[in-house]
Amino acid sequence: MKKRPWPFVVGASLVGVAYGLVTKKKKQDLKNNWAKKYVGKWQFKNKNQINILEITADFHLLVNDKKLAGVLEELSQEQLVWQDNFGYHIKILADDKAPVTIYDEADNVTYLLEK
């Protein structure tokens, strides 16, 4: 009597599916983790005044503890773009680890961010 290979094929298929699901979840976690680099507080100097920029976990912007009215327009590994109620953009550019500059379209000025 010859053994049939179907149990082996089914078992190997299940292992392959399980492996695919695990690696897909890990890739999604790595893909989504980059957005966390924007969350936190930074300071920037405007003329002679030091201001505090805070980006919340749901990507709202606060400057000196005042929430900016507007909407998140873009979130990528390179930048976070916020549009205020007047239609101007605030662009926060980031490197691999954290935001590095903030550009205010209304004043056409870029500020360096410091942790």
Side-chain angles (χ1 to χ4, degrees):
M1 186 162 146
K2 190 175 181 182
K3 288 189 176 183
R4 295 188 179 159
W6 69 269
F8 174 76
V9 172
V10 170
S13 296
L14 290 175
V15 168
V17 169
Y19 177 77
L21 291 173
V22 168
T23 57
K24 182 178 179 182
K25 181 170 176 23
K26 284 184 182 178
K27 286 179 185 175
Q28 286 177 341
D29 288 345
L30 289 175
K31 183 179 175 185
N32 293 333
N33 279 339
W34 60 260
K36 292 179 183 178
K37 71 181 173 184
Y38 288 102
V39 177
K41 288 186 179 184
W42 293 267
Q43 67 180 21
F44 63 95
K45 191 173 184 179
N46 178 3
K47 298 179 185 170
N48 290 329
Q49 181 181 359
I50 294 181
N51 298 290
I52 304 297
L53 167 70
E54 181 178 356
I55 304 173
T56 65
D58 55 352
F59 303 106
H60 283 94
L61 302 184
L62 290 87
V63 175
N64 299 329
D65 294 323
K66 294 181 181 169
K67 191 173 182 180
L68 296 181
V71 295
L72 179 65
E73 199 168 78
E74 179 185 337
L75 180 63
S76 69
Q77 290 188 29
E78 294 81 26
Q79 68 180 359
L80 180 153
V81 180
W82 183 267
Q83 185 175 21
D84 68 16
N85 285 348
F86 301 105
Y88 291 107
H89 293 97
I90 296 171
K91 295 181 182 180
I92 299 166
L93 301 178
D95 62 14
D96 292 339
K97 299 174 188 168
V100 291
T101 62
I102 180 171
Y103 170 71
D104 183 357
E105 185 180 44
D107 294 331
N108 194 25
V109 179
T110 300
Y111 303 102
L112 291 176
L113 292 173
E114 297 177 17
K115 192 70 175 167

